[in-house]
Amino acid sequence: MDEFGAQIYEPYGVYGPETGPGLVPWGLDETEGDYYWLVDRSVEPERWPVVARQAFDEPWRQFDISTAEFVYRTIADPKFKPFTVADPPRLPFYLPYWAPYPPSRKEREALSDPNRKG
């Protein structure tokens, strides 16, 4: 990995059998969120923390909870900011096949605004 690539994952680095503990991706969301496990072969996989960030330029956050709890809290806990989708409740919306994807954050917020008319 080049120097720029390594900077993206600081301070954790990327996991490798030869390099030791580091990040392994397991998910992302439509609002730029990145989700990783902090893998360490000396620790049982169910104890690997979740490391996440809301956007590329945001700081990493480490959660010493299971992946299942992290996903549950993302979906159901309005206080689990900035990763929650439970607050505020947002409207679903449809994008036609010809629409640019993904929409910008501003467009997504306007389309899913619960006070939107029409």
Side-chain angles (χ1 to χ4, degrees):
M1 176 177 305
D2 65 14
E3 187 176 324
F4 176 74
Q7 290 175 353
I8 294 172
Y9 300 101
E10 286 182 350
Y12 297 103
V14 175
Y15 172 78
E18 297 82 31
T19 58
L23 299 177
V24 170
W26 61 264
L28 53 94
D29 66 31
E30 66 177 18
T31 61
E32 303 178 29
D34 294 318
Y35 307 114
Y36 295 79
W37 289 297
L38 181 53
V39 173
D40 183 341
R41 289 175 50 176
S42 68
V43 176
E44 294 297 318
E46 61 270 11
R47 294 184 44 224
W48 292 342
V50 172
V51 176
R53 64 179 171 194
Q54 189 56 37
F56 175 75
D57 57 349
E58 297 281 326
W60 292 104
R61 297 173 191 218
Q62 183 172 324
F63 300 90
D64 293 321
I65 58 178
S66 70
T67 304
E69 182 178 350
F70 182 88
V71 171
Y72 171 79
R73 291 185 65 193
T74 299
I75 295 168
D77 183 353
K79 295 180 179 143
F80 196 57
K81 296 182 183 208
F83 300 102
T84 187
V85 295
D87 183 45
R90 307 301 292 181
L91 293 176
F93 61 90
Y94 169 77
L95 290 175
Y97 75 91
W98 47 264
Y101 186 84
S104 71
R105 185 177 293 230
K106 186 176 181 179
E107 290 168 326
R108 187 172 43 256
E109 287 175 3
L111 288 166
S112 64
D113 184 348
N115 299 314
R116 177 183 86 202
K117 301 279 192 242

